[in-house]
């Protein structure tokens, strides 16, 4: 286990951004103190060739202009909040409208575009990067002074993301990570031929604002009984595929009756990504607007379906869609979330 630290660059405000490079026998991952971004993640394919399997940029300037949330921690809320407002204890909170008339990913100045305090620890078997930041009461309209801690724990072929938010007043929190994966390696191909299986009971249909509206019934869109190639879903004429610009941008309801919550497999490279989470939902997003990104790592033109996200989280737009399931956090009840990604390859 090895960790090296360097300066990645400076923000427009002149803040220094640290880069942490962690190497094990099975993976190599680079994490930035800006947004907690997973900038690169290298794993071997079935022939032992080490290649990068995530999307990112080479400069701070591009990250600060990034509208695709490459690799970052998002919050205080993951996904959209309809009408950019909610009510807690008879108090209405108005949020930034940064996705039409809705709020997305915590607003304009969320957790994704700030420099976090960062430290690391390393032993023979594990390494951890600890990120901390403070969000004052009513930042982006959300209640509560919040002390956030996010820890990346790396062991062999696993990356665990451990989230915590400690508040001084009743509030709502729902964080996730927004890394785009592509198991082909070095972005050689798009994700269409990669196979996905979710241990899920079903999915939530969305409207034209990508807000959940009801439990989906059509197994032509998603069947919990089998794995499918992304290609079959993303190139179909299903209304739920078309409504999000051709692909998935949907919450899937995890059944929680097996150890693994889902996996993605690339037959050509032999790479497999499994994930385990304590959250009830994973939003699968298939890069339906990545063709609007000019360049990735300065070598690749952005293109549709170049990567997929596994956004493990609570129920999206919960105040409007499922208010009976709202989880609120208090000084006595901190926010906690944990997700583990496991990487392997086989012939």
């Amino acid at each position: 286990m090895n960790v090296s630290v360097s300066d990645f660059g400076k923000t427009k405000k002149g803040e220094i951004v640290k880069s942490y490079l962690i190497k094990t026998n099975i993976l190599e991952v680079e994490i930035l103190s800006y947004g907690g971004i997973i900038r690169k993640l290298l794993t071997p394919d079935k022939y032992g060739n080490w290649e990068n399997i995530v999307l990112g940029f080479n400069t701070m300037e591009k990250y600060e202009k990034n509208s695709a949330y490459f690799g970052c921690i998002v919050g205080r809320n993951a996904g959209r909040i309809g009408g950019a407002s909610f009510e807690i204890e008879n108090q209405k909170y108005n949020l930034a409208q940064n996705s039409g008339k809705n709020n997305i990913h915590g607003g304009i100045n969320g957790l994704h575009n700030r420099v976090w305090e960062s430290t690391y620890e390393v032993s023979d078997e594990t390494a951890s990067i600890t990120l901390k930041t403070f969000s004052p009461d009513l930042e982006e309209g959300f209640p509560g002074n919040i002390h956030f801690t996010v820890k990346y724990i790396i062991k062999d072929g696993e990356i665990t993301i451990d989230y915590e938010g400690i508040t001084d007043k009743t509030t709502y929190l729902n964080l996730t990570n927004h890394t785009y994966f592509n198991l082909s390696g070095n972005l050689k191909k798009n994700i269409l031929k990669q196979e996905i299986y979710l241990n899920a009971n079903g999915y939530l249909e969305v409207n034209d604002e990508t807000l959940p509206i009801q439990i989906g019934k059509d197994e032509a869109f998603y069947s919990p009984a089998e794995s499918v190639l992304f290609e079959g879903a993303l190139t179909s004429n299903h209304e739920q595929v078309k409504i999000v610009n051709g692909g998935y941008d949907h919450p899937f309801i995890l059944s929680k009756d097996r150890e693994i919550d889902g996996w993605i497999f690339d037959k050509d490279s032999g790479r497999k990504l499994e994930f385990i989470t304590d959250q009830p939902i994973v939003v699968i997003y298939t890069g339906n607007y990545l063709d609007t990104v000019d360049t990735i790592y300065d070598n690749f033109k952005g293109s549709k379906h170049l990567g997929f996200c596994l956004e493990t989280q609570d129920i999206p737009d919960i105040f409007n869609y499922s208010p009976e399931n709202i989880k609120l956090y208090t000084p006595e009840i901190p926010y906690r979330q944990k997700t583990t990604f496991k990487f392997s390859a086989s012939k």
Side-chain angles (χ1 to χ4, degrees):
M1 186 74 64
N2 178 266
V3 179
S4 58
V5 187
S6 61
D7 290 347
F8 179 72
K10 290 184 179 180
T11 67
K12 289 181 290 188
K13 297 178 181 178
E15 303 161 293
I16 295 174
V17 175
K18 295 290 185 184
S19 164
Y20 294 87
L21 185 64
I22 303 99
K23 297 181 180 180
T24 77
N25 293 326
I26 303 175
L27 62 80
E28 177 180 313
V29 60
E30 181 184 4
I31 297 168
L32 303 182
S33 61
Y34 180 83
I37 287 169
I38 295 177
R39 193 180 88 86
K40 283 191 174 182
L41 173 56
L42 280 71
T43 66
D45 66 7
K46 61 186 177 183
Y47 302 110
N49 301 308
W50 286 67
E51 295 172 312
N52 180 36
I53 61 168
V54 302
L55 279 62
F57 297 115
N58 283 341
T59 66
M60 268 309 305
E61 181 182 10
K62 288 191 175 180
Y63 275 113
E64 289 192 283
K65 293 179 179 178
N66 177 20
S67 60
Y69 299 90
F70 278 1
C72 63
I73 300 160
V74 295
R76 298 183 184 191
N77 175 69
R80 295 164 181 82
I81 295 177
S85 67
F86 57 76
E87 189 172 295
I88 295 176
E89 297 176 341
N90 298 317
Q91 172 70 47
K92 186 176 181 180
Y93 295 95
N94 294 310
L95 315 173
Q97 296 182 348
N98 62 327
S99 177
K101 64 182 180 181
N102 307 311
N103 177 276
I104 189 171
H105 293 334
I108 298 165
N109 296 303
L111 301 181
H112 66 284
N113 58 3
R114 68 179 66 195
V115 178
W116 294 54
E117 296 176 22
S118 57
T119 57
Y120 77 93
E121 296 180 2
V122 63
S123 68
D124 290 340
E125 296 185 352
T126 64
S128 61
I129 310 299
T130 300
L131 304 168
K132 294 185 177 184
T133 194
F134 173 71
S135 178
D137 185 33
L138 298 181
E139 183 174 43
E140 292 295 312
F142 290 88
N145 292 295
I146 315 292
H147 291 273
F148 287 105
T149 301
V150 174
K151 183 177 288 189
Y152 289 91
I153 304 165
I154 296 92
K155 179 180 181 181
D156 296 327
E158 298 182 6
I159 299 175
T160 295
I161 311 176
D162 203 338
Y163 307 76
E164 182 182 69
I166 297 175
T167 181
D168 65 349
K169 66 190 293 188
T170 303
T171 193
Y172 169 71
L173 296 169
N174 183 24
L175 277 57
T176 196
N177 176 274
H178 210 278
T179 295
Y180 290 78
F181 298 97
N182 182 328
L183 302 183
S184 68
N186 291 346
L187 305 183
K188 290 193 297 294
K189 302 175 183 178
N190 62 29
I191 64 172
L192 293 184
K193 296 296 185 182
Q194 294 172 31
E195 183 181 4
I196 181 169
Y197 173 77
L198 299 174
N199 186 25
N201 294 326
Y203 65 97
L204 300 180
E205 293 183 357
V206 299
N207 62 16
D208 58 6
E209 295 178 289
T210 325
L211 296 170
I213 52 173
Q214 63 186 12
I215 294 176
K217 303 294 186 184
D218 188 354
E219 290 197 358
F221 177 77
Y222 169 74
S223 171
E226 59 189 15
S227 63
V228 296
L229 294 179
F230 277 121
E231 182 178 40
L234 307 192
T235 60
S236 80
N237 289 318
H238 195 285
E239 184 60 32
Q240 281 295 299
V241 171
K242 294 191 291 185
I243 206 169
V244 294
N245 198 40
Y248 285 146
D249 193 357
H250 290 78
F252 291 83
I253 306 162
L254 298 172
S255 58
K256 314 307 295 183
D257 60 0
R258 300 181 190 174
E259 181 182 355
I260 300 295
D261 289 307
W263 51 259
I264 296 86
F265 177 67
D266 180 65
K267 182 178 180 181
D268 288 345
S269 70
R271 291 187 178 93
K272 189 173 190 179
L273 165 55
E274 299 171 296
F275 72 95
I276 305 165
T277 184
D278 59 9
Q279 298 298 286
I281 295 288
V282 59
V283 172
I284 307 295
Y285 175 55
T286 50
N288 309 331
Y289 292 93
L290 285 177
D291 52 344
T292 64
V293 179
D294 289 336
T295 55
I296 299 169
Y297 298 123
D298 300 332
N299 307 107
F300 304 94
K301 178 72 175 70
S303 60
K304 201 170 184 176
H305 304 149
L306 193 59
F308 63 87
C309 298
L310 300 170
E311 301 171 56
T312 55
Q313 59 184 268
D314 203 354
I315 300 168
D317 195 29
I318 196 167
F319 286 90
N320 297 301
Y321 172 72
S322 187
E324 69 277 11
N325 290 310
I326 292 171
K327 300 183 186 75
L328 297 178
Y329 301 94
T330 68
E332 295 76 32
I333 305 173
Y335 170 84
R336 290 195 174 95
Q337 201 248 86
K338 180 181 286 188
T339 295
T340 296
F341 299 111
K342 296 185 175 184
F343 304 91
S344 60
S346 61
K347 293 185 179 180

